[in-house]
Amino acid sequence: MKNTTQQLLSELHGREKKRVLFVCLGNICRSPAAEGIMREIVGTEGEADKWVIDSAGIGGWHVGQQPDRRMCVHAGRRGIDLTGQRCRQVRPSDFDDFDIIIGMDSSNISDLCDLARTPDDERKIVAMGEFVSMATRYDHIPDPYYEGAEGFELVLDLLGDACRNLFDRCR
């Protein structure tokens, strides 16, 4: 998948607007955190007008709700406000509306591939783990939902690293 990712990022490099969708299981922990972190990065870099950033979940259990309170608290301690976000489910039109769709783990990637309507849709799907460069045993972004504070902090560390690398590689 890495060659496909490199090609996809090369195509994004020259675009006036880069449209990215982050996806996790329920859109309450990982993907809203990735959305918030990425918005913070592009804002700090003065490129907010060049990016369209959103997040969604594979399942629709939490549609309309705010992200998980614990993730909001941990992200907030890092200056990232997630409270304005509302959970939503991935929809077929997302493959038309976004240039790159980033799943947090192999299960999310598999589910996204099942939702893809065409090979072009499937080509837009990338694993978030491909952007993690920090020394870690993780090749994915683990779900912190059933973990304690350490799990949320780990996810925020991984997402911070991955989002920074995504931004730099698309620049």
Side-chain angles (χ1 to χ4, degrees):
M1 192 186 295
K2 289 197 187 289
N3 288 337
T4 303
T5 301
Q6 235 1 75
Q7 183 180 0
L8 185 59
L9 293 176
S10 294
E11 292 170 14
L12 287 178
H13 182 70
R15 293 210 175 139
E16 187 174 318
K17 278 215 186 250
K18 294 157 183 68
R19 304 171 303 161
V20 61
L21 177 67
F22 296 104
V23 177
C24 68
L25 184 60
N27 194 216
I28 60 170
C29 292
R30 297 171 289 173
S31 58
E35 177 186 345
I37 291 167
M38 196 69 183
R39 286 183 187 280
E40 179 70 22
I41 290 169
V42 300
T44 299
E45 294 290 337
E47 293 195 16
D49 61 329
K50 296 179 182 177
W51 290 77
V52 174
I53 303 164
D54 198 3
S55 63
I58 297 296
W61 313 283
H62 305 287
V63 170
Q65 297 175 14
Q66 284 187 333
D68 185 279
R69 180 191 58 77
R70 298 165 297 169
M71 184 56 84
C72 290
V73 168
H74 286 276
R77 289 179 185 153
R78 295 176 184 222
I80 300 159
D81 183 12
L82 307 180
T83 58
Q85 295 183 33
R86 292 293 176 268
C87 301
R88 74 172 185 85
Q89 189 171 10
V90 175
R91 51 187 174 248
S93 62
D94 287 330
F95 288 97
D96 300 322
D97 297 338
F98 294 94
D99 303 311
I100 185 169
I101 299 175
I102 303 175
M104 297 296 143
D105 61 33
S106 60
S107 179
N108 302 151
I109 296 295
S110 177
D111 290 336
L112 285 166
C113 288
D114 289 344
L115 293 170
R117 304 160 298 181
T118 66
D120 283 340
D121 285 356
E122 194 167 340
R123 191 175 152 284
K124 293 180 177 187
I125 301 167
V126 177
M128 191 63 158
E130 289 193 40
F131 300 103
V132 175
S133 65
M134 58 190 273
T136 178
R137 63 183 178 94
Y138 295 97
D139 62 354
H140 65 286
I141 308 301
D143 191 343
Y145 189 78
Y146 295 106
E147 303 296 323
E150 301 83 17
F152 286 92
E153 290 298 321
L154 170 65
V155 165
L156 289 166
D157 289 344
L158 292 169
L159 289 174
D161 177 56
C163 286
R164 181 79 234 181
N165 290 326
L166 171 62
F167 176 81
D168 290 344
R169 288 174 65 183
C170 286
R171 213 170 198 185

